[in-house]
Amino acid sequence: MSMALKQVFNKDRTFRPKRKFEPGTQRFDLHKKAQASLNAGLDLKQAVSLPHGEDLNDWVAVHVVDFFNRINLIYGTISDSCTDQTCPVMSGGPKYEYRWQDEHKYKRPTALSAPKYMSLLMDWIEVQINNENIFPTNVGTPFPKTFMQVAKKILSRLFRVFVHVYIHHFDRVSQMGAEAHVNTCYKHFYYFVTEFNLTDHKELEPLKEMTSRMCH
């Protein structure tokens, strides 16, 4: 493994602390099952399928947290070249601009620089996944009726990180020797969200051509 690629997996480069699953919990077991499928070299399309007898909400929760951790890491590796100066707008090329909106400071869609958008996004996701009322960790505690809606919103917004990285920073990814890793993570994410219809097709548009070459 090249030194550059080792940097990609260096925990110090992670944009945010990782959310871990507690050993002994059902979610931890599911996480291990998902990881085992990937480590066994199982086809990514098969690896995302819901295991027999498992609950869809649990399976989605495990993947939302895992993708958050992994996409965090990817953005962390290029964050030094994504600044207010280089990326004054959070975009995916000239046709797509992403505006930030939340329940607090930004009640209307607001244009922000890419690093500011990313920081708010990661903070917002962290709050969601650490909220026991949305992502319950105790076995037997039911998921709220709004869980899938929140999961879709998180995944749609995480997809925008891929869009920005691929369109504006892929030279940096290649320079670090991380292209294969990022591509694999993207394919895994794409197969998962399409398998369970967790992202609107219009969100996927910016990477449509690349996706058709990579995933079909």
Side-chain angles (χ1 to χ4, degrees):
M1 188 186 283
S2 70
M3 280 305 291
L5 192 53
K6 274 184 182 166
Q7 272 187 291
V8 178
F9 297 101
N10 182 336
K11 67 179 188 304
D12 297 334
R13 300 281 299 175
T14 307
F15 191 56
R16 285 281 187 289
K18 289 181 83 166
R19 162 84 194 263
K20 292 188 171 68
F21 298 102
E22 292 300 318
T25 63
Q26 186 182 5
R27 204 74 49 75
F28 179 80
D29 295 340
L30 263 187
H31 177 65
K32 288 293 169 205
K33 196 178 280 190
Q35 291 304 310
S37 297
L38 292 175
N39 295 340
L42 193 65
D43 176 76
L44 285 170
K45 252 184 176 169
Q46 288 177 270
V48 300
S49 298
L50 180 66
H52 182 68
E54 297 295 353
D55 176 68
L56 179 59
N57 285 336
D58 273 317
W59 190 237
V60 169
V62 162
H63 282 81
V64 167
V65 174
D66 191 43
F67 287 133
F68 169 65
N69 288 334
R70 290 164 70 193
I71 293 168
N72 243 330
L73 185 58
I74 288 168
Y75 183 69
T77 64
I78 61 91
S79 58
D80 55 352
S81 59
C82 182
T83 66
D84 292 339
Q85 287 69 43
T86 61
C87 305
V89 174
M90 172 58 182
S91 63
K95 280 172 70 180
Y96 301 95
E97 181 184 326
Y98 301 117
R99 298 185 170 210
W100 181 256
Q101 184 174 15
D102 57 33
E103 305 80 35
H104 307 293
K105 189 177 171 186
Y106 300 95
K107 302 217 169 156
R108 292 183 179 181
T110 308
L112 298 170
S113 69
K116 178 71 174 159
Y117 184 102
M118 298 292 187
S119 182
L120 288 166
L121 172 60
M122 299 307 177
D123 282 344
W124 175 78
I125 295 175
E126 213 171 1
V127 169
Q128 309 308 307
I129 63 178
N130 286 300
N131 183 340
E132 283 285 330
N133 294 322
I134 302 172
F135 281 74
T137 51
N138 295 327
V139 178
T141 304
F143 282 86
K145 290 191 172 102
T146 55
F147 170 72
M148 223 34 109
Q149 193 184 328
V150 175
K152 283 181 180 182
K153 194 168 186 179
I154 292 172
L155 293 167
S156 293
R157 286 179 162 184
L158 280 175
F159 185 79
R160 297 171 183 185
V161 181
F162 277 122
V163 173
H164 187 73
V165 168
Y166 270 115
I167 292 174
H168 296 282
H169 299 290
F170 205 68
D171 52 344
R172 181 84 178 112
V173 171
S174 300
Q175 193 185 356
M176 295 183 77
E179 194 170 340
H181 172 71
V182 174
N183 286 347
T184 300
C185 184
Y186 174 73
K187 284 203 281 189
H188 186 196
F189 182 95
Y190 175 80
Y191 287 138
F192 188 80
V193 297
T194 51
E195 170 80 7
F196 300 108
N197 196 24
L198 294 168
T199 303
D200 288 342
H201 284 290
K202 68 176 192 308
E203 282 285 350
L204 305 175
E205 280 291 316
L207 298 180
K208 193 175 174 183
E209 283 182 33
M210 183 197 80
T211 305
S212 64
R213 288 196 305 273
M214 199 190 287
C215 300
H216 297 295

